[in-house]
């Protein structure tokens, strides 16, 4: 029996939704691989990937298979019971990383919330109530809950919501001296994105992450890597910490972890995990069988030499063509980032115009992203085909050419 759906349009958004988003003027209705179709049947190449989420594109057969198989078995039991997909996924994550324990939740913000609570709890248990300070980076982004906007280094997201969470300091990213000056014996955690995603796709320097690791060890503080955007193969390694060879104490993953199905994880060592004793933290949906079944299928495909090597090869193709386009139209000063998390920094002539480029690209049939007003971001599927890369970049170039003529 099919369900009758009422006709809805983009204009309905403004009538029925809270106005905290400003979605594009068209409504996507279907996707396959790296192509998306809107209500009118128009086809677009997707280089946005749902903001670095659709790691295997749209409607990947293995993910559809895992989801539908699980949908016919068991949807939800809560954490009063455990379930097979959650245990299988946790085993795979533990086998593949430094971590020995996983906590599942539903979004990047929630994974970070768990990470920050764990860090404070560990310090409280081991060293007493005075060691609670968290040091994070200016312009960092860690999510939208009250704790995570306060740890995030952008006051535009934390102002106006009442008293701030205290004990959080922000220091300039990639500035080891600034970090050194801020860390003390009161520090319980240093929180960093290995590549700052939302604020412009800025990779950390190796020496910075190594220095942060050393400072944490010297001051008995925990190093937390927020890999919500960099994780699950996007860097060309399963996690970006592997690319740098700097091992955190706590790692958070979301976005690509479920390939489009909401799931997140906070991962850590056994010694730290034991501080979250029964009842100290939790969430009803965390480790939901549907989400974990999909994420298991994601890791099975992503964590293979073939997929990871593909990321490096596809990045090379993007890099070459984006640099060519950048030079031809005096558009980009730099094409930076790791793997298939790519940030193109606009030249002075184009500064502040990332949104115009986003709009022009969409009109030509390619979905891209911004990372602030001065950076055009690409976060495509890790299995995007060479044909789709070339077609999407042809459309992108046409959009840029039209903008220059405008
Ligand atoms: N951390 C980082 C590095 C992110 O890029 C994001 C989202 O963009 C988040 C946390 C928040 O994740 P979510 O929107 O799933 O809560």
């Amino acid at each position: 029996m099919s369900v009758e759906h009422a006709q809805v349009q983009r204009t309905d958004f403004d009538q029925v939704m809270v106005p905290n988003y400003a979605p594009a003027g068209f409504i996507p209705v279907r996707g396959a691989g790296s192509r998306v179709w809107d209500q009118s049947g128009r086809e677009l190449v997707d280089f946005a990937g749902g903001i670095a989420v659709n790691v295997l594109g749209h409607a990947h057969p293995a993910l559809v298979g895992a989801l539908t198989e699980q949908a016919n078995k068991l949807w939800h039991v809560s954490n009063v019971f455990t379930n097979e997909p959650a245990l299988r996924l946790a085993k795979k994550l533990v086998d593949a990383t430094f971590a020995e324990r996983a906590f599942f939740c539903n979004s990047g913000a929630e994974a970070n919330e768990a990470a920050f609570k764990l860090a404070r709890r560990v310090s409280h248990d081991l060293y007493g109530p005075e060691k609670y300070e968290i040091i994070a980076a200016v312009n960092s982004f860690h999510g939208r809950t009250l704790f995570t906007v306060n740890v995030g280094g952008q006051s535009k997201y934390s102002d106006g919501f009442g008293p701030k969470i205290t004990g959080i300091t922000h220091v300039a990213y990639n500035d080891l001296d600034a970090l050194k000056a801020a860390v003390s014996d009161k520090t319980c955690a240093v929180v960093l994105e290995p590549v700052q995603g939302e604020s412009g796709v800025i990779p950390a320097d190796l020496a910075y992450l190594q220095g942060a690791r050393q400072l944490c060890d010297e001051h008995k503080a925990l190093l937390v890597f927020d890999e919500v955007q960099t994780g699950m193969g996007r860097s060309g390694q399963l996690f970006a910490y592997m690319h740098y060879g700097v091992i955190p104490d706590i790692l958070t993953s979301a976005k690509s972890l479920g390939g489009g199905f909401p799931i997140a994880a906070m991962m850590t060592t056994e010694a730290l995990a034991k501080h979250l004793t029964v009842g100290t933290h939790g969430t009803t949906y965390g480790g939901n069988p549907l989400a974990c079944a999909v994420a298991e299928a994601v890791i099975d495909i992503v964590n293979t030499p073939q997929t990871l090597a593909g990321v490096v090869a596809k990045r090379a193709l993007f890099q070459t063509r984006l640099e060519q386009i950048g030079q031809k139209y005096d558009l980009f000063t730099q094409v930076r980032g790791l793997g298939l998390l790519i940030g193109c920094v606009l030249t002075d002539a184009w500064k502040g115009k990332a949104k115009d480029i986003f709009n022009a690209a969409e009109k030509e049939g390619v979905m891209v992203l911004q990372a602030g007003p001065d950076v055009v971001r690409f976060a495509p599927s890790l299995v995007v085909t060479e044909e789709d890369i070339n077609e999407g970049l042809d459309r992108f170039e046409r959009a840029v050419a039209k903008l220059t003529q405008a």
Side-chain angles (χ1 to χ4, degrees):
M1 196 176 77
S2 72
V3 181
E4 277 293 308
H5 292 299
Q7 276 295 317
V8 285
Q9 307 297 333
R10 169 63 181 83
T11 47
D12 290 317
F13 183 94
D14 307 321
Q15 307 306 317
V16 293
M17 302 287 259
V18 170
N20 61 317
Y21 304 116
F26 68 99
I27 302 183
V29 293
R30 186 167 71 83
S34 286
R35 306 274 174 143
V36 165
W37 287 264
D38 76 2
Q39 284 182 313
S40 71
R42 186 171 69 116
E43 171 262 323
L44 298 101
V45 176
D46 184 5
F47 287 156
I51 318 187
V53 167
N54 301 318
V55 76
L56 297 172
H58 298 274
H60 190 289
L63 273 54
V64 173
L67 182 62
T68 47
E69 189 188 329
Q70 190 59 41
N72 283 306
K73 270 195 198 160
L74 184 70
W75 285 29
H76 178 78
V77 286
S78 88
N79 287 297
V80 175
F81 312 92
T82 189
N83 68 78
E84 290 179 352
L87 293 173
R88 287 199 304 263
L89 176 62
K91 273 184 178 225
K92 285 183 177 171
L93 287 168
V94 162
D95 283 350
T97 66
F98 78 96
E100 295 157 333
R101 296 289 185 271
F103 165 80
F104 293 124
C105 46
N106 313 289
S107 67
E110 267 185 87
N112 285 326
E113 184 87 17
F116 306 157
K117 282 181 72 180
L118 173 62
R120 282 195 166 173
R121 191 71 174 213
V122 168
S123 281
H124 184 277
D125 290 352
L126 296 181
Y127 310 109
E130 295 305 314
K131 191 174 170 68
Y132 62 85
E133 289 183 0
I134 293 175
I135 300 177
V138 173
N139 289 332
S140 59
F141 186 80
H142 300 297
R144 300 296 199 121
T145 64
L146 195 57
F147 201 169
T148 54
V149 287
N150 278 271
V151 174
Q154 302 184 63
S155 55
K156 68 179 179 202
Y157 296 135
S158 57
D159 286 349
F161 293 105
K164 301 217 170 173
I165 293 179
T166 54
I168 299 164
T169 307
H170 295 103
V171 293
Y173 189 66
N174 265 338
D175 183 340
L176 191 54
D177 288 336
L179 188 58
K180 214 174 264 178
V183 176
S184 75
D185 289 342
K186 288 178 121 189
T187 307
C188 76
V190 172
V191 179
L192 293 171
E193 296 164 83
V195 179
Q196 278 197 336
E198 293 304 303
S199 61
V201 192
I202 305 165
D205 298 332
L206 174 60
Y208 181 62
L209 295 187
Q210 287 171 333
R213 176 69 274 174
Q214 197 182 338
L215 284 170
C216 284
D217 292 343
E218 285 166 12
H219 292 273
K220 295 187 165 57
L222 301 177
L223 183 60
V224 180
F225 280 172
D226 177 345
E227 293 230 29
V228 167
Q229 190 151 163
T230 53
M232 289 303 289
R234 193 154 291 283
S235 70
Q237 303 267 356
L238 185 62
F239 288 101
Y241 85 83
M242 297 167 175
H243 171 87
Y244 286 96
V246 176
I247 298 173
D249 300 295
I250 304 175
L251 180 146
T252 55
S253 175
K255 288 189 182 284
S256 302
L257 181 61
F261 200 98
I263 180 171
M266 188 269 293
M267 294 179 259
T268 189
T269 62
E270 185 204 346
L272 297 174
K274 71 178 183 207
H275 291 267
L276 286 187
T277 52
V278 173
T280 50
H281 193 61
T283 164
T284 300
Y285 286 120
N288 170 282
L290 288 171
C292 291
V294 177
E296 191 192 356
V298 171
I299 194 171
D300 281 348
I301 296 170
V302 165
N303 197 25
T304 57
Q306 193 194 355
T307 305
L308 297 175
V311 171
V312 177
K314 292 166 207 294
R315 167 56 184 259
L317 186 53
F318 268 102
Q319 186 81 23
T320 306
R321 286 214 54 193
L322 286 169
E323 281 176 358
Q324 280 164 359
I325 295 168
Q327 272 164 19
K328 187 165 164 190
Y329 299 93
D330 190 28
L331 186 64
F332 305 136
T333 59
Q334 196 191 1
V335 177
R336 69 189 175 195
L338 269 188
L340 288 175
L341 180 56
I342 306 168
C344 304
V345 186
L346 295 172
T347 55
D348 282 344
W350 290 83
K351 263 206 168 27
K353 293 196 174 144
K355 180 77 182 173
D356 297 334
I357 294 170
F358 169 97
N359 288 332
E362 179 261 296
K363 284 201 178 65
E364 283 301 314
V366 56
M367 292 148 77
V368 300
L369 293 166
Q370 302 176 240
D374 304 330
V375 175
V376 180
R377 178 173 35 157
F378 295 77
S381 152
L382 306 190
V383 294
V384 58
T385 63
E386 201 176 310
E387 188 197 342
D388 284 348
I389 295 175
N390 281 321
E391 175 61 25
L393 289 177
D394 287 347
R395 295 180 190 188
F396 182 74
E397 180 166 357
R398 281 203 294 278
V400 173
K402 280 194 183 160
L403 270 183
T404 57
Q405 287 152 16

